[in-house]
Amino acid sequence: MRNGDDLEGFDGEASSTSMISGASSPYQPTTEPVSQRRGLGGLRCDLDYLRGTFGRIKLAEVVLALIAFICIETIMECSPCEGLYFFEFVSCSALVVTGVLLLMFSLNLHTRIPQINWNLTDLVNTGLSTFFFFIASVVLAALNHKTGAEIAAVIFGFLAMAVYAVNTYLAIKKWRMNSRQQNSRQTSDYIRARTESREVEHRPEIQRLDGRKGRSNGGKECSALHMCRDALSQKLLS
């Protein structure tokens, strides 16, 4: 049987072995905070955009287009049906495209595809949606049968048109502002480059350095000619 000293030595040996194996193990406990880990491939919701003017307008457009689409879908009978079908197509298209743009901007997915001009894309979408919602609402108002669903669809169609018109106006202002900033930046860069080139051309110390280089090169050529002449004269004398 082992006495107490042997057991204590065995326990100390086991603890030291476990410490060594734990230190050399590649599976060390992480110290990274849980809040810093990103989920869903690094996607995050941009709350600043959703709380801003464009985010709120986009949400209103999606809601109004959805309500208009639901109202037009509840109509079971129509004669003629061309205005109803056209309003259904416009509301569904606006809902899908605006919803996709809202997801792109709110999740910052547009920054991963810089090849597309997203401001211009948003401007085109809002402009076309304004125009087609106006046409579809006017046609549906002229051809409706005074039912509750048709009247509600016409009302929400005009409301959606108004919100899209406001978004178009703000998008045009933003696009012009960005284009002016880009043009002014390019102009300032061009003026700075021209100024630097003129300073280099008219800087006197650079011209003096060029003159000194020319004089030193001419002195070297003259000394070389003198050496060649002395060598020839020595050969002739010998």
Side-chain angles (χ1 to χ4, degrees):
M1 295 181 63
R2 296 182 179 177
N3 52 17
D5 296 337
D6 294 338
L7 290 174
E8 289 178 0
F10 179 75
D11 293 338
E13 217 174 273
S15 62
S16 63
T17 305
S18 63
M19 289 175 63
I20 294 172
S21 62
S24 60
S25 174
Y27 303 101
Q28 298 295 329
T30 180
T31 58
E32 182 183 1
V34 178
S35 60
Q36 291 182 358
R37 296 179 181 177
R38 294 182 177 180
L40 297 177
L43 297 180
R44 64 179 183 84
C45 183
D46 190 358
L47 297 178
D48 294 334
Y49 174 77
L50 294 177
R51 293 169 183 169
T53 303
F54 285 97
R56 292 178 181 180
I57 290 177
K58 279 283 182 295
L59 288 173
E61 290 169 353
V62 170
V63 171
L64 291 174
L66 178 61
I67 295 175
F69 180 73
I70 292 174
C71 291
I72 206 68
E73 285 296 317
T74 58
I75 300 174
M76 298 300 177
E77 296 180 359
C78 61
S79 179
C81 298
E82 287 79 8
L84 188 145
Y85 292 153
F86 181 65
F87 189 92
E88 180 183 4
F89 169 75
V90 171
S91 59
C92 181
S93 301
L95 174 63
V96 172
V97 177
T98 308
V100 171
L101 289 175
L102 177 62
L103 288 176
M104 296 292 290
F105 289 131
S106 62
L107 297 178
N108 286 325
L109 294 176
H110 64 288
T111 58
R112 302 188 179 185
I113 312 175
Q115 295 82 6
I116 299 176
N117 190 344
W118 292 102
N119 293 327
L120 184 59
T121 303
D122 184 34
L123 175 60
V124 172
N125 172 60
T126 53
L128 291 177
S129 298
T130 302
F131 174 75
F132 284 113
F133 257 120
F134 175 74
I135 299 298
S137 300
V138 169
V139 171
L140 186 63
L143 299 178
N144 70 61
H145 300 84
K146 304 298 187 296
T147 62
E150 289 178 337
I151 294 173
V154 170
I155 292 173
F156 283 105
F158 279 115
L159 288 176
M161 180 210 69
V163 176
Y164 274 107
V166 173
N167 195 357
T168 303
Y169 172 73
L170 295 177
I172 290 174
K173 285 184 64 177
K174 184 178 179 181
W175 179 66
R176 286 181 177 177
M177 186 181 301
N178 292 334
S179 62
R180 287 176 183 174
Q181 290 178 356
Q182 186 177 3
N183 292 334
S184 63
R185 193 181 303 112
Q186 291 177 354
T187 304
S188 62
D189 293 340
Y190 174 76
I191 293 173
R192 190 186 308 112
R194 289 289 299 171
T195 304
E196 291 177 355
S197 64
R198 288 175 181 175
E199 288 179 355
V200 170
E201 290 175 358
H202 298 287
R203 197 172 292 174
E205 56 269 18
I206 296 179
Q207 294 179 358
R208 286 198 297 269
L209 288 174
D210 293 338
R212 290 175 183 176
K213 287 181 181 179
R215 287 195 297 270
S216 63
N217 291 332
K220 290 179 181 179
E221 292 177 357
C222 291
S223 61
L225 290 174
H226 286 303
M227 291 174 64
C228 292
R229 188 180 60 184
D230 294 339
L232 290 173
S233 61
Q234 289 178 2
K235 286 182 179 180
L236 292 173
L237 292 173
S238 61

